[in-house]
Amino acid sequence: MARYWTRPRIVFVVWAAVQLVGWLTTHFLFMDFRANWIWLVLSVVAFVPMIRYMPWRNRKLRNILLLWLITVGVGMVFSFLPFEVPALGILAAYLGVFWLLLMGVAFLINAIWWTPGLFIIGGIVQIVAGLLPLIFIDLLYYQYLIAAVAGTGAMLILLPNRPLRKPAHAARAA
């Protein structure tokens, strides 16, 4: 069992837990600016294993870490701004959608460096989930619950932590 819990899997599970707790807290307790402070603390907690396990000298891991630091940093700026700049106030109603789309795109970019199949699937899951409340406007109220399922699910999709296998019939033909 100890061999299963590799460093990447620990990072994925921590982020899955952070997303689940964060989105459920946002939906049930703080559908306002206070949620950003909860998310800031949760993000710092989740970055600890990433920074600890991803050596800066490894170019691939450094790129992945930088991608996520920039993604979360930009996301946090855009999450705080609607509550500080009145002209951007309308964006506050779409923060769950925004984060799903942002994380989905970051997953697709992450696929450049590591386990492309899994990150592509996770990215598509989040992008589709982010578009649902925009297409079916009645779902907008539930965007944080949708984000809890899609964001946590996308992280758990990464647990196999290896490229997708070829179908058995394709492997025999090769």
Side-chain angles (χ1 to χ4, degrees):
M1 187 66 155
R3 292 178 64 182
Y4 180 80
W5 289 108
T6 62
R7 290 175 175 183
R9 286 185 177 126
I10 291 168
V11 169
F12 300 150
V13 167
V14 168
W15 273 106
V18 160
Q19 286 203 41
L20 185 62
V21 168
W23 289 122
L24 293 178
T25 301
T26 301
H27 182 80
F28 290 111
L29 299 177
F30 301 114
M31 265 199 212
D32 57 32
F33 72 93
R34 294 175 294 174
N36 289 324
W37 295 105
I38 301 295
W39 276 108
L40 185 61
V41 170
L42 289 172
S43 296
V44 168
V45 167
F47 272 115
V48 168
M50 284 183 79
I51 291 168
R52 194 167 161 226
Y53 294 151
M54 299 174 84
W56 193 254
R57 64 189 173 278
N58 182 313
R59 184 173 176 225
K60 178 174 72 169
L61 295 178
R62 181 177 59 239
N63 289 342
I64 292 170
L65 182 58
L66 283 173
L67 166 68
W68 290 106
L69 286 168
I70 291 167
T71 298
V72 172
V74 167
M76 291 305 296
V77 167
F78 279 95
S79 291
F80 275 94
L81 278 178
F83 299 103
E84 300 298 324
V85 179
L88 299 175
I90 189 68
L91 296 176
Y94 298 93
L95 286 175
V97 169
F98 164 76
W99 274 98
L100 280 169
L101 297 174
L102 178 66
M103 298 300 280
V105 169
F107 261 62
L108 296 177
I109 293 169
N110 198 130
I112 294 169
W113 297 297
W114 200 46
T115 57
L118 299 175
F119 274 97
I120 290 169
I121 293 168
I124 291 170
V125 164
Q126 290 180 97
I127 290 169
V128 168
L131 293 174
L132 285 176
L134 296 177
I135 296 168
F136 304 103
I137 204 70
D138 290 341
L139 293 177
L140 195 56
Y141 176 77
Y142 302 102
Q143 66 181 313
Y144 301 121
L145 294 178
I146 293 168
V149 171
T152 302
M155 293 310 300
L156 295 177
I157 286 169
L158 300 175
L159 286 181
N161 192 25
R162 60 181 176 258
L164 296 175
R165 293 182 181 168
K166 294 180 183 178
H169 59 79
R172 277 183 263 141

